[in-house]
Each structure stands twice: as structure tokens, then as C-alpha cells.
Amino acid sequence: MLELKNVGKTFNPGTVNEKVALSGVNLHLNPGDFATIVGSNGAGKSTLFNAIAGSFVPDTGSIVLDGEDITFQPDYRRSKTIGRMFQDPLRGTAPNMTIEENLALAYLRASKKTSPFSRITRADREQFAQRLSQLGLGLEDRMKQPVGLLSGGQRQALTLLMATLVTPKLLLLDEHTAALDPATADKVLELTKSIVAENHITCLMITHNMHDALTLGNRTLMMDSGRIVLDIAGPEREGLTVDDLLQRFAKNAGHALSDDRVLLSKTEE
Amino acid sequence: MLSLAIIQSALELGCIYSLVAMALFLSFRVLNIADMTTDGAFTMGCAVSATAAVAGHPFLGLVLAILAGACAGFITALLQTRLGVPSILAGIVTNTGLYTVNLAIMGFSSNVPMLKTTTIFTIAQDLMGENAPYKLIVSAAITLVVCVLLILFLGTRLGLSIRATGDNPDMVRASSINTAFTVTVGLCVANAMTCLSGAVLAQYQRSADINLGTGMVVIGLASLIIGETLFAHGGLWVKAVAAIGGSVIYRFIIALALRINVPSECMKLLSAVIVGLAIAAPTIKKNVAFAQRRRAARKQGGGSRA
């Protein structure tokens, strides 16, 4: 489904601020794979997502999605098939537009055939209301309200719906529950799991929660200094504890994981 | 205090200039871009419409003005979306270039007199008779049609994308919309409206002048902000109608000022002060509230301060 070959990116090359953000990343995702990614700050997790989503063109390597080489495709084209969510709930929705209008925009991605002058129809509205009711937040009764009135959790749930309204080939989740309170975070995570499973979406999810990293999805990746240092799936992953994971990381990366948030999450469970 | 004739002409001018206020609603409020092309685009509308009317094509003049305005908007958009010119500078660059273009349209003369020219207003007069308020009917009809079209347009998928571009560009790119494209369309439509406003005005007052558009962006903003202040919050319909209302009220303010013998030369200063104060109002309010709060705290704290 997704094939990254030798993807590398260096920011500010030739200056004192030179930073190798990605160095020779290789990754192959099978259709329906749900992989979690952990790593300390600056390991290159978000940069990897930026490369896949097209925020910049990598210095080296190629990115192939579903048989199509998208290495040089601009970001707005890629978003036809790649859904993305950020940690900040404010980034995914337009606050001064209504829930309905936001959903209509997300729906644009599928509308190859419809004219740019078409309007939101009653059928669209019914479909939006039906999908909103699946979130169980009562948003289907507030479709004419501006999104700016919603709470962070509601906005993030709406963003999740928008990212998957048209089933994407790939869903990128960048710590999308990290800014929410624990109860809301759990709810959004549950929604994520059910939507991803229901539509068989291939998914990459960055998390700082080691427990989530091992229990969610079918594969765990760990990143360090712009490289993927650990890739565990299948039977090998079952029964693995957080401590095992940290040990494997230290062995492969050459040093222990030193991220407070990640380590703290160990004791949360 | 105001005679019926003055009220009527304020309404007429208010309707005509409200097209600029609606154009700025689109560029300044919806797209969040201060579009400095406005002045030049307005003059271009005057020039195109006057030249065409003198040649015997008053209606074609309006259509050509719309196209010319779209071209001006396109150039500003091209500069800022494709060539990396900051948005305000892009407008100023286009605006400066338009000065020469406008002179050229008017045959390198700084004004076009059209005293005996057939205009859309003389045609309406012939149709409706001498005594009908034909000028008001024509200008109100044009404004109404443009307003309805604008609101319908903003409800389409393209219109929604343009609104989202001003609201949250990150999200728009993630919805597979090219922001360069939406900004371009928005600026083309806005400048087409500004240009149409100039085109109608030239035929209304039966002359075009190279300086007619000077300060138009400030006048348009003044109208827009007056409208927003008076009609506060609401949906798109309310906002668009507020722009028209603000424009009419602005013309009444001008008529009143002229009536109490404020020299017409001072009008631009008056507009500038209105806009400056209106945009600064929230910050001034905040500073005043802060000063009051501090004074109250000092009074209460008395000598306990170290």
C-alpha cells in the first residue's frame, strides 16, 4: 500500500542549524496495516508524516502509495487519498464555518465528478447527519452552528470524521488525542479504532503512550535520529511488554529512550 | 435638514459604492487579504465603462469592466500565490501599474467627459419616464443582483473552499484544495465587483477621471466596518446586506458633512479617521479596560505596595 524507499531530508543544509531529520527511511505498509510510531522528541516522527503528506519534497528517495509514485505530487493533491489529523484540534477545522460546511469541504475530496458550483444538497445533509450521529456527541443536531463553538474533543472527533468521510487510502494520526483530557482522549481513540477497523483503512499513528503503541493496531515502529530502529509485528509483538520494547529500542538505537512523556506513560497504566 | 434629493442621491451612491464594500468583504473579511488593487481597479472600471459608453456601448462597458477587474485581480493573485510577493505589496504593485493602464484605456487623457453620451441611466430614463427614480432603481437593481450572486456563490463548493482558505489554510490543503487557486478566484471576483462599481459610477456621474479611485480601499473599508458595527453578527446574508447598509450610511455621513459645510476636500481625511478608529476600537477598548482595572487595584491596595 505504502512504500517508502531510502527517504531522507536535511533541514538548513550547510549551516550551523543543519539537522538531519530523516536519513534513509525504508517502510512498507500492507493494505489494512495499522502501525503505531513511538520515539522521543526530534526523532523524525512528524517529519516522516510531513514527507508522506507532501509538506515538503524529500532530498532523497521515493514515496509510492497504492502503486502511484507521489514523491513530487503537491500536498493538496495527495490529500485526495491521504487523511491527516494533528495534535492541535484547531488545525483540522474552519472555526467560522458551520459543521455542515466543514463536512461539505471534506466531502470535496471524493467529488471528482461534481461541479465546483454545486451546493450542499438535502441528500448530502442527511448523509452528514447520519455519519455525525455515529460519533454519539449529538453534533447531528448542531449542523448549522459554527465549529468554533465546539470543545477541543468535539472538534477532534469532527476532524476524524472529516478525514475519513471519504475513505482515504492512508490515514496519518499525529498524536491526535494528546491535547485532550483523558476521558475525551479515550473516546476519540475508541472512535478512531472503530472507524479504521470498519473501513479497513491503512493507518499510521504517532503516540507517546507506550501502552497504546503496543496494544493498538497490528504493528509497532520506533524511531530515533531520523531512522526507524525497530519494527515489530505479528506473533513477535504479542505478549511484548513495555519494558521489553524499551530494551529492544536501547539495543537497536545504541542508547536508552529518554523522553519524559514516553517514560511517564509507562507508569500511567 | 436633508432634502429628498440629497437622501435620494445618498441612496444611489450608497448602492453603487456598496459593490466595493462587498468586494472588500470578500477579500478582507472572507479571504483575510488586504487587497490594495482596489483603488486602481475602481478607476479601471470608470475608464473602461466611460470609453465604451462614449463609443456607444454602455452595457458592453459594464461587462468589459467586470472582465478587466478580474484580470487585475488575477495579476495581484499571481504575484502573491505563484511569485512569493507579500500580499499587500502585490496589490500595491498592480495598483501602480494600473495607473498607466487606466490612462491608456482613456486614450492617455486624465478624464473622459460624457455629457451627451448614452448611458445605462439615460436608457432607463427613456424607458421609465422623466419622473421615475430611475437612477435609484438601476443602481439598486445592480447591487441587489450582485449581492444575491455573491451569496449564492459563497454557498457553492468553490465558495466554501474560498471561505475556508481565509479561515484555516492548513485544513484547506488537507481537504485537497489548492489554496493558490482559491485565492486567485477570490481576488478575481472581488476586483471584478470593484471594477463594476467604478463602471456604474462613471455612467452615473457622466465622467471618468484618473483620480476617482484614490482612497477607494479606505472608503470601502469604512463602509464595511460601519455595516459590521451596526448589524453585528449573523450569517452570510446579514453580512452582505450589512456591507450595503454601511455603504449607504457612509454616504449619508458624507451628505451630512457637506450640508454642515465641511469642505469636500476633507472627506478623505474623515474616511481615514473613521477607518483608523473603527479598526483600532477593540484594542483601544482593551487598553482602557486594563487601565481602569489597574487604577482600581491601586486604589484598593493603597500603601501596601512595596
Side-chain angles (χ1 to χ4, degrees), chain B residues 2-74:
Chain B
L2 290 173
S3 68
L4 198 65
I6 293 179
I7 293 177
Q8 192 178 335
S9 85
L11 281 174
E12 290 159 6
L13 286 171
C15 281
I16 296 174
Y17 283 111
S18 68
L19 295 176
V20 181
M22 284 192 280
L24 288 172
F25 167 66
L26 181 60
S27 58
F28 189 66
R29 283 291 180 235
V30 172
L31 271 179
N32 210 5
I33 293 171
D35 183 14
M36 294 295 151
T37 327
T38 305
D39 289 14
F42 188 83
T43 314
M44 184 147 85
C46 297
V48 170
S49 145
T51 309
V54 167
H57 302 291
F59 287 106
L60 185 63
L62 299 187
V63 176
L64 287 177
I66 291 173
L67 293 177
C71 289
F74 180 78

Side-chain angles (χ1 to χ4, degrees), chain B residues 8-263:
Chain B
Q8 192 178 335
S9 85
L11 281 174
E12 290 159 6
L13 286 171
C15 281
I16 296 174
Y17 283 111
S18 68
L19 295 176
V20 181
M22 284 192 280
L24 288 172
F25 167 66
L26 181 60
S27 58
F28 189 66
R29 283 291 180 235
V30 172
L31 271 179
N32 210 5
I33 293 171
D35 183 14
M36 294 295 151
T37 327
T38 305
D39 289 14
F42 188 83
T43 314
M44 184 147 85
C46 297
V48 170
S49 145
T51 309
V54 167
H57 302 291
F59 287 106
L60 185 63
L62 299 187
V63 176
L64 287 177
I66 291 173
L67 293 177
C71 289
F74 180 78
I75 290 168
T76 303
L78 187 77
L79 284 172
Q80 73 181 71
T81 57
R82 302 280 180 205
L83 302 172
V85 182
S87 69
I88 290 197
L89 199 54
I92 293 174
V93 166
T94 314
N95 191 30
T96 307
L98 280 181
Y99 187 82
T100 309
V101 174
N102 293 340
L103 276 178
I105 294 172
M106 299 198 287
F108 289 102
S109 137
S110 65
N111 59 61
V112 179
M114 20 190 323
L115 282 177
K116 296 224 165 109
T117 312
T118 305
T119 68
I120 51 169
F121 293 99
T122 61
I123 293 171
Q125 187 183 17
D126 292 342
L127 281 174
M128 293 179 227
E130 199 70 44
N131 297 320
Y134 61 93
K135 281 187 173 175
L136 185 57
I137 293 173
V138 171
S139 37
I142 292 175
T143 300
L144 218 65
V145 168
V146 172
C147 178
V148 169
L149 286 178
L150 177 68
I151 290 165
L152 288 179
F153 173 68
L154 288 177
T156 62
R157 300 213 153 155
L158 183 56
L160 287 178
S161 327
I162 291 175
R163 287 168 55 199
T165 306
D167 213 8
N168 187 350
D170 271 347
M171 168 233 177
V172 168
R173 271 186 289 273
S175 311
S176 78
I177 299 161
N178 182 358
T179 49
F181 175 70
T182 49
V183 166
T184 307
V185 174
L187 286 182
C188 285
V189 172
N191 281 292
M193 283 161 67
T194 305
C195 218
L196 178 64
S197 176
V200 177
L201 184 79
Q203 298 200 20
Y204 173 83
Q205 61 172 30
R206 295 175 160 251
S207 70
D209 186 285
I210 191 69
N211 291 319
L212 264 179
T214 311
M216 192 50 63
V217 67
V218 174
I219 294 172
L221 280 179
S223 308
L224 181 67
I225 291 166
I226 292 172
E228 282 174 352
T229 320
L230 293 181
F231 303 101
H233 303 292
L236 273 182
W237 277 98
V238 179
K239 282 179 178 150
V241 174
I244 300 176
S247 180
V248 171
I249 290 167
Y250 178 82
R251 288 297 138 188
F252 272 106
I253 295 174
I254 299 284
L256 264 175
L258 288 173
R259 189 89 174 90
I260 55 172
N261 293 328
V262 176

